PDB file of all heavy atoms in Angstrom:
ATOM      1  N   LYS B 165      15.488  -7.526 -14.284  1.00 96.00           N
ATOM      2  CA  LYS B 165      16.258  -6.651 -13.405  1.00 96.00           C
ATOM      3  C   LYS B 165      17.054  -5.609 -14.175  1.00 96.00           C
ATOM      4  O   LYS B 165      17.109  -4.449 -13.788  1.00 96.00           O
ATOM      5  CB  LYS B 165      17.183  -7.484 -12.518  1.00 96.00           C
ATOM      6  CG  LYS B 165      17.831  -6.685 -11.401  1.00 96.00           C
ATOM      7  CD  LYS B 165      18.592  -7.582 -10.443  1.00 96.00           C
ATOM      8  CE  LYS B 165      19.142  -6.760  -9.278  1.00 96.00           C
ATOM      9  NZ  LYS B 165      19.881  -7.619  -8.301  1.00 96.00           N
ATOM     10  N   ALA B 166      17.674  -6.009 -15.240  1.00 95.00           N
ATOM     11  CA  ALA B 166      18.502  -5.072 -16.000  1.00 95.00           C
ATOM     12  C   ALA B 166      17.639  -3.956 -16.600  1.00 95.00           C
ATOM     13  O   ALA B 166      18.061  -2.797 -16.636  1.00 95.00           O
ATOM     14  CB  ALA B 166      19.244  -5.807 -17.102  1.00 95.00           C
ATOM     15  N   ALA B 167      16.459  -4.292 -17.026  1.00 96.00           N
ATOM     16  CA  ALA B 167      15.550  -3.317 -17.616  1.00 96.00           C
ATOM     17  C   ALA B 167      14.741  -2.587 -16.561  1.00 96.00           C
ATOM     18  O   ALA B 167      14.011  -1.644 -16.876  1.00 96.00           O
ATOM     19  CB  ALA B 167      14.611  -4.004 -18.606  1.00 96.00           C
ATOM     20  N   LYS B 168      14.843  -3.034 -15.306  1.00 97.00           N
ATOM     21  CA  LYS B 168      14.080  -2.464 -14.191  1.00 97.00           C
ATOM     22  C   LYS B 168      12.595  -2.479 -14.522  1.00 97.00           C
ATOM     23  O   LYS B 168      11.889  -1.464 -14.444  1.00 97.00           O
ATOM     24  CB  LYS B 168      14.573  -1.052 -13.866  1.00 97.00           C
ATOM     25  CG  LYS B 168      16.019  -1.050 -13.386  1.00 97.00           C
ATOM     26  CD  LYS B 168      16.540   0.346 -13.093  1.00 97.00           C
ATOM     27  CE  LYS B 168      18.008   0.256 -12.676  1.00 97.00           C
ATOM     28  NZ  LYS B 168      18.607   1.590 -12.467  1.00 97.00           N
ATOM     29  N   SER B 169      12.154  -3.680 -14.877  1.00 97.00           N
ATOM     30  CA  SER B 169      10.762  -3.883 -15.254  1.00 97.00           C
ATOM     31  C   SER B 169      10.174  -5.009 -14.415  1.00 97.00           C
ATOM     32  O   SER B 169      10.839  -6.012 -14.151  1.00 97.00           O
ATOM     33  CB  SER B 169      10.688  -4.226 -16.743  1.00 97.00           C
ATOM     34  OG  SER B 169       9.397  -4.626 -17.106  1.00 97.00           O
ATOM     35  N   PHE B 170       8.909  -4.854 -14.028  1.00 98.00           N
ATOM     36  CA  PHE B 170       8.270  -5.830 -13.122  1.00 98.00           C
ATOM     37  C   PHE B 170       6.788  -5.897 -13.476  1.00 98.00           C
ATOM     38  O   PHE B 170       5.958  -5.282 -12.841  1.00 98.00           O
ATOM     39  CB  PHE B 170       8.481  -5.367 -11.676  1.00 98.00           C
ATOM     40  CG  PHE B 170       7.935  -6.297 -10.633  1.00 98.00           C
ATOM     41  CD1 PHE B 170       8.386  -7.600 -10.526  1.00 98.00           C
ATOM     42  CD2 PHE B 170       6.983  -5.854  -9.722  1.00 98.00           C
ATOM     43  CE1 PHE B 170       7.891  -8.458  -9.552  1.00 98.00           C
ATOM     44  CE2 PHE B 170       6.478  -6.704  -8.738  1.00 98.00           C
ATOM     45  CZ  PHE B 170       6.935  -8.002  -8.656  1.00 98.00           C
ATOM     46  N   SER B 171       6.445  -6.660 -14.477  1.00 98.00           N
ATOM     47  CA  SER B 171       5.048  -6.722 -14.933  1.00 98.00           C
ATOM     48  C   SER B 171       4.305  -7.870 -14.261  1.00 98.00           C
ATOM     49  O   SER B 171       4.896  -8.875 -13.873  1.00 98.00           O
ATOM     50  CB  SER B 171       4.985  -6.855 -16.453  1.00 98.00           C
ATOM     51  OG  SER B 171       5.645  -8.026 -16.871  1.00 98.00           O
ATOM     52  N   LEU B 172       3.014  -7.698 -14.140  1.00 98.00           N
ATOM     53  CA  LEU B 172       2.133  -8.695 -13.519  1.00 98.00           C
ATOM     54  C   LEU B 172       1.235  -9.302 -14.581  1.00 98.00           C
ATOM     55  O   LEU B 172       0.548  -8.572 -15.310  1.00 98.00           O
ATOM     56  CB  LEU B 172       1.254  -8.048 -12.446  1.00 98.00           C
ATOM     57  CG  LEU B 172       0.189  -8.941 -11.803  1.00 98.00           C
ATOM     58  CD1 LEU B 172       0.856 -10.012 -10.935  1.00 98.00           C
ATOM     59  CD2 LEU B 172      -0.786  -8.116 -10.973  1.00 98.00           C
ATOM     60  N   LYS B 173       1.240 -10.610 -14.666  1.00 98.00           N
ATOM     61  CA  LYS B 173       0.370 -11.309 -15.598  1.00 98.00           C
ATOM     62  C   LYS B 173      -0.724 -12.025 -14.829  1.00 98.00           C
ATOM     63  O   LYS B 173      -0.445 -12.767 -13.885  1.00 98.00           O
ATOM     64  CB  LYS B 173       1.154 -12.317 -16.442  1.00 98.00           C
ATOM     65  CG  LYS B 173       0.293 -12.976 -17.519  1.00 98.00           C
ATOM     66  CD  LYS B 173       1.120 -13.826 -18.466  1.00 98.00           C
ATOM     67  CE  LYS B 173       1.402 -15.184 -17.935  1.00 98.00           C
ATOM     68  NZ  LYS B 173       2.018 -16.080 -18.948  1.00 98.00           N
ATOM     69  N   ILE B 174      -1.962 -11.788 -15.231  1.00 98.00           N
ATOM     70  CA  ILE B 174      -3.107 -12.456 -14.626  1.00 98.00           C
ATOM     71  C   ILE B 174      -3.703 -13.378 -15.686  1.00 98.00           C
ATOM     72  O   ILE B 174      -4.156 -12.912 -16.747  1.00 98.00           O
ATOM     73  CB  ILE B 174      -4.166 -11.452 -14.135  1.00 98.00           C
ATOM     74  CG1 ILE B 174      -3.532 -10.434 -13.191  1.00 98.00           C
ATOM     75  CG2 ILE B 174      -5.312 -12.190 -13.443  1.00 98.00           C
ATOM     76  CD1 ILE B 174      -4.471  -9.315 -12.779  1.00 98.00           C
ATOM     77  N   SER B 175      -3.683 -14.644 -15.412  1.00 98.00           N
ATOM     78  CA  SER B 175      -4.220 -15.636 -16.343  1.00 98.00           C
ATOM     79  C   SER B 175      -5.637 -16.012 -15.943  1.00 98.00           C
ATOM     80  O   SER B 175      -6.010 -15.919 -14.770  1.00 98.00           O
ATOM     81  CB  SER B 175      -3.339 -16.882 -16.342  1.00 98.00           C
ATOM     82  OG  SER B 175      -2.007 -16.560 -16.650  1.00 98.00           O
ATOM     83  N   ASP B 176      -6.435 -16.438 -16.945  1.00 98.00           N
ATOM     84  CA  ASP B 176      -7.804 -16.882 -16.674  1.00 98.00           C
ATOM     85  C   ASP B 176      -8.530 -15.849 -15.798  1.00 98.00           C
ATOM     86  O   ASP B 176      -9.032 -16.159 -14.714  1.00 98.00           O
ATOM     87  CB  ASP B 176      -7.773 -18.243 -15.982  1.00 98.00           C
ATOM     88  CG  ASP B 176      -9.150 -18.837 -15.786  1.00 98.00           C
ATOM     89  OD1 ASP B 176     -10.074 -18.477 -16.552  1.00 98.00           O
ATOM     90  OD2 ASP B 176      -9.316 -19.641 -14.849  1.00 98.00           O
ATOM     91  N   SER B 177      -8.578 -14.623 -16.276  1.00 98.00           N
ATOM     92  CA  SER B 177      -9.127 -13.525 -15.484  1.00 98.00           C
ATOM     93  C   SER B 177     -10.549 -13.808 -15.017  1.00 98.00           C
ATOM     94  O   SER B 177     -11.376 -14.374 -15.746  1.00 98.00           O
ATOM     95  CB  SER B 177      -9.115 -12.227 -16.304  1.00 98.00           C
ATOM     96  OG  SER B 177      -7.796 -11.860 -16.627  1.00 98.00           O
ATOM     97  N   GLN B 178     -10.820 -13.408 -13.811  1.00 97.00           N
ATOM     98  CA  GLN B 178     -12.132 -13.589 -13.198  1.00 97.00           C
ATOM     99  C   GLN B 178     -12.716 -12.243 -12.789  1.00 97.00           C
ATOM    100  O   GLN B 178     -11.983 -11.269 -12.621  1.00 97.00           O
ATOM    101  CB  GLN B 178     -12.009 -14.503 -11.976  1.00 97.00           C
ATOM    102  CG  GLN B 178     -11.436 -15.864 -12.308  1.00 97.00           C
ATOM    103  CD  GLN B 178     -11.162 -16.717 -11.085  1.00 97.00           C
ATOM    104  OE1 GLN B 178     -11.414 -16.294  -9.948  1.00 97.00           O
ATOM    105  NE2 GLN B 178     -10.661 -17.920 -11.301  1.00 97.00           N
ATOM    106  N   LEU B 179     -14.037 -12.204 -12.619  1.00 96.00           N
ATOM    107  CA  LEU B 179     -14.693 -10.948 -12.249  1.00 96.00           C
ATOM    108  C   LEU B 179     -14.113 -10.383 -10.957  1.00 96.00           C
ATOM    109  O   LEU B 179     -14.014  -9.173 -10.769  1.00 96.00           O
ATOM    110  CB  LEU B 179     -16.198 -11.155 -12.125  1.00 96.00           C
ATOM    111  CG  LEU B 179     -16.935 -11.488 -13.424  1.00 96.00           C
ATOM    112  CD1 LEU B 179     -18.409 -11.727 -13.150  1.00 96.00           C
ATOM    113  CD2 LEU B 179     -16.759 -10.385 -14.463  1.00 96.00           C
ATOM    114  N   GLY B 180     -13.730 -11.266 -10.062  1.00 95.00           N
ATOM    115  CA  GLY B 180     -13.165 -10.841  -8.788  1.00 95.00           C
ATOM    116  C   GLY B 180     -11.782 -10.219  -8.899  1.00 95.00           C
ATOM    117  O   GLY B 180     -11.276  -9.672  -7.920  1.00 95.00           O
ATOM    118  N   ASP B 181     -11.181 -10.279 -10.074  1.00 97.00           N
ATOM    119  CA  ASP B 181      -9.873  -9.654 -10.271  1.00 97.00           C
ATOM    120  C   ASP B 181     -10.003  -8.156 -10.525  1.00 97.00           C
ATOM    121  O   ASP B 181      -8.998  -7.435 -10.503  1.00 97.00           O
ATOM    122  CB  ASP B 181      -9.144 -10.290 -11.456  1.00 97.00           C
ATOM    123  CG  ASP B 181      -8.790 -11.745 -11.210  1.00 97.00           C
ATOM    124  OD1 ASP B 181      -8.634 -12.122 -10.033  1.00 97.00           O
ATOM    125  OD2 ASP B 181      -8.687 -12.506 -12.191  1.00 97.00           O
ATOM    126  N   ALA B 182     -11.203  -7.694 -10.775  1.00 97.00           N
ATOM    127  CA  ALA B 182     -11.410  -6.262 -11.013  1.00 97.00           C
ATOM    128  C   ALA B 182     -11.020  -5.471  -9.766  1.00 97.00           C
ATOM    129  O   ALA B 182     -11.555  -5.705  -8.678  1.00 97.00           O
ATOM    130  CB  ALA B 182     -12.864  -5.994 -11.372  1.00 97.00           C
ATOM    131  N   ALA B 183     -10.081  -4.571  -9.944  1.00 97.00           N
ATOM    132  CA  ALA B 183      -9.546  -3.834  -8.794  1.00 97.00           C
ATOM    133  C   ALA B 183      -8.513  -2.828  -9.289  1.00 97.00           C
ATOM    134  O   ALA B 183      -8.153  -2.802 -10.471  1.00 97.00           O
ATOM    135  CB  ALA B 183      -8.886  -4.786  -7.796  1.00 97.00           C
ATOM    136  N   MET B 184      -8.029  -2.037  -8.347  1.00 96.00           N
ATOM    137  CA  MET B 184      -6.867  -1.181  -8.588  1.00 96.00           C
ATOM    138  C   MET B 184      -5.638  -1.987  -8.201  1.00 96.00           C
ATOM    139  O   MET B 184      -5.611  -2.601  -7.138  1.00 96.00           O
ATOM    140  CB  MET B 184      -6.974   0.079  -7.737  1.00 96.00           C
ATOM    141  CG  MET B 184      -6.007   1.160  -8.110  1.00 96.00           C
ATOM    142  SD  MET B 184      -6.497   1.933  -9.661  1.00 96.00           S
ATOM    143  CE  MET B 184      -5.528   3.436  -9.573  1.00 96.00           C
ATOM    144  N   TYR B 185      -4.629  -1.991  -9.072  1.00 97.00           N
ATOM    145  CA  TYR B 185      -3.399  -2.723  -8.800  1.00 97.00           C
ATOM    146  C   TYR B 185      -2.238  -1.742  -8.665  1.00 97.00           C
ATOM    147  O   TYR B 185      -2.021  -0.901  -9.532  1.00 97.00           O
ATOM    148  CB  TYR B 185      -3.106  -3.726  -9.908  1.00 97.00           C
ATOM    149  CG  TYR B 185      -4.027  -4.923  -9.873  1.00 97.00           C
ATOM    150  CD1 TYR B 185      -5.306  -4.862 -10.412  1.00 97.00           C
ATOM    151  CD2 TYR B 185      -3.624  -6.113  -9.270  1.00 97.00           C
ATOM    152  CE1 TYR B 185      -6.160  -5.952 -10.359  1.00 97.00           C
ATOM    153  CE2 TYR B 185      -4.466  -7.206  -9.218  1.00 97.00           C
ATOM    154  CZ  TYR B 185      -5.744  -7.112  -9.760  1.00 97.00           C
ATOM    155  OH  TYR B 185      -6.593  -8.195  -9.705  1.00 97.00           O
ATOM    156  N   PHE B 186      -1.513  -1.897  -7.567  1.00 96.00           N
ATOM    157  CA  PHE B 186      -0.372  -1.032  -7.307  1.00 96.00           C
ATOM    158  C   PHE B 186       0.907  -1.855  -7.326  1.00 96.00           C
ATOM    159  O   PHE B 186       0.996  -2.914  -6.689  1.00 96.00           O
ATOM    160  CB  PHE B 186      -0.487  -0.367  -5.929  1.00 96.00           C
ATOM    161  CG  PHE B 186      -1.582   0.662  -5.839  1.00 96.00           C
ATOM    162  CD1 PHE B 186      -2.832   0.313  -5.348  1.00 96.00           C
ATOM    163  CD2 PHE B 186      -1.361   1.974  -6.225  1.00 96.00           C
ATOM    164  CE1 PHE B 186      -3.846   1.254  -5.253  1.00 96.00           C
ATOM    165  CE2 PHE B 186      -2.359   2.921  -6.135  1.00 96.00           C
ATOM    166  CZ  PHE B 186      -3.606   2.557  -5.651  1.00 96.00           C
ATOM    167  N   CYS B 187       1.893  -1.323  -8.015  1.00 97.00           N
ATOM    168  CA  CYS B 187       3.238  -1.876  -7.986  1.00 97.00           C
ATOM    169  C   CYS B 187       4.014  -1.117  -6.902  1.00 97.00           C
ATOM    170  O   CYS B 187       3.802   0.092  -6.716  1.00 97.00           O
ATOM    171  CB  CYS B 187       3.883  -1.668  -9.357  1.00 97.00           C
ATOM    172  SG  CYS B 187       5.579  -2.226  -9.510  1.00 97.00           S
ATOM    173  N   ALA B 188       4.882  -1.809  -6.176  1.00 95.00           N
ATOM    174  CA  ALA B 188       5.617  -1.143  -5.101  1.00 95.00           C
ATOM    175  C   ALA B 188       7.036  -1.674  -4.991  1.00 95.00           C
ATOM    176  O   ALA B 188       7.304  -2.846  -5.288  1.00 95.00           O
ATOM    177  CB  ALA B 188       4.883  -1.321  -3.772  1.00 95.00           C
ATOM    178  N   TYR B 189       7.919  -0.815  -4.530  1.00 93.00           N
ATOM    179  CA  TYR B 189       9.351  -1.114  -4.368  1.00 93.00           C
ATOM    180  C   TYR B 189       9.725  -0.908  -2.912  1.00 93.00           C
ATOM    181  O   TYR B 189       9.256   0.023  -2.256  1.00 93.00           O
ATOM    182  CB  TYR B 189      10.150  -0.162  -5.255  1.00 93.00           C
ATOM    183  CG  TYR B 189      11.636  -0.179  -5.040  1.00 93.00           C
ATOM    184  CD1 TYR B 189      12.467  -0.825  -5.949  1.00 93.00           C
ATOM    185  CD2 TYR B 189      12.234   0.458  -3.953  1.00 93.00           C
ATOM    186  CE1 TYR B 189      13.847  -0.835  -5.773  1.00 93.00           C
ATOM    187  CE2 TYR B 189      13.603   0.445  -3.771  1.00 93.00           C
ATOM    188  CZ  TYR B 189      14.396  -0.197  -4.686  1.00 93.00           C
ATOM    189  OH  TYR B 189      15.750  -0.213  -4.517  1.00 93.00           O
ATOM    190  N   ARG B 190      10.614  -1.781  -2.431  1.00 89.00           N
ATOM    191  CA  ARG B 190      11.130  -1.597  -1.074  1.00 89.00           C
ATOM    192  C   ARG B 190      12.582  -1.990  -1.040  1.00 89.00           C
ATOM    193  O   ARG B 190      12.947  -3.102  -1.424  1.00 89.00           O
ATOM    194  CB  ARG B 190      10.331  -2.426  -0.078  1.00 89.00           C
ATOM    195  CG  ARG B 190      10.600  -2.041   1.366  1.00 89.00           C
ATOM    196  CD  ARG B 190       9.712  -2.805   2.316  1.00 89.00           C
ATOM    197  NE  ARG B 190       9.660  -2.182   3.638  1.00 89.00           N
ATOM    198  CZ  ARG B 190       8.990  -2.685   4.667  1.00 89.00           C
ATOM    199  NH1 ARG B 190       8.323  -3.809   4.542  1.00 89.00           N
ATOM    200  NH2 ARG B 190       8.987  -2.063   5.815  1.00 89.00           N
ATOM    201  N   SER B 191      13.409  -1.086  -0.547  1.00 85.00           N
ATOM    202  CA  SER B 191      14.828  -1.392  -0.411  1.00 85.00           C
ATOM    203  C   SER B 191      15.039  -2.431   0.664  1.00 85.00           C
ATOM    204  O   SER B 191      14.325  -2.466   1.667  1.00 85.00           O
ATOM    205  CB  SER B 191      15.588  -0.111  -0.046  1.00 85.00           C
ATOM    206  OG  SER B 191      16.922  -0.407   0.278  1.00 85.00           O
ATOM    207  N   ARG B 192      16.021  -3.269   0.475  1.00 79.00           N
ATOM    208  CA  ARG B 192      16.347  -4.252   1.495  1.00 79.00           C
ATOM    209  C   ARG B 192      17.306  -3.675   2.536  1.00 79.00           C
ATOM    210  O   ARG B 192      17.425  -4.190   3.641  1.00 79.00           O
ATOM    211  CB  ARG B 192      16.975  -5.489   0.851  1.00 79.00           C
ATOM    212  CG  ARG B 192      17.155  -6.634   1.814  1.00 79.00           C
ATOM    213  CD  ARG B 192      17.656  -7.885   1.112  1.00 79.00           C
ATOM    214  NE  ARG B 192      17.849  -8.982   2.048  1.00 79.00           N
ATOM    215  CZ  ARG B 192      18.952  -9.158   2.765  1.00 79.00           C
ATOM    216  NH1 ARG B 192      19.953  -8.327   2.633  1.00 79.00           N
ATOM    217  NH2 ARG B 192      19.050 -10.170   3.607  1.00 79.00           N
ATOM    218  N   LEU B 193      17.948  -2.595   2.156  1.00 74.00           N
ATOM    219  CA  LEU B 193      18.964  -2.036   3.036  1.00 74.00           C
ATOM    220  C   LEU B 193      18.359  -0.985   3.947  1.00 74.00           C
ATOM    221  O   LEU B 193      17.410  -0.293   3.604  1.00 74.00           O
ATOM    222  CB  LEU B 193      20.080  -1.404   2.204  1.00 74.00           C
ATOM    223  CG  LEU B 193      20.783  -2.342   1.248  1.00 74.00           C
ATOM    224  CD1 LEU B 193      21.793  -1.569   0.419  1.00 74.00           C
ATOM    225  CD2 LEU B 193      21.472  -3.468   1.997  1.00 74.00           C
TER     226      LEU B 193
END
Side-chain angles (χ1 to χ4, degrees):
Chain B
K165 191 173 184 179
K168 296 178 182 176
S169 171
F170 183 60
S171 60
L172 174 69
K173 185 172 82 171
I174 305 174
S175 304
D176 186 25
S177 297
Q178 302 173 1
L179 293 178
D181 294 333
M184 193 73 163
Y185 287 81
F186 290 95
C187 178
Y189 170 104
R190 193 175 197 183
S191 172
R192 188 175 179 275
L193 301 176

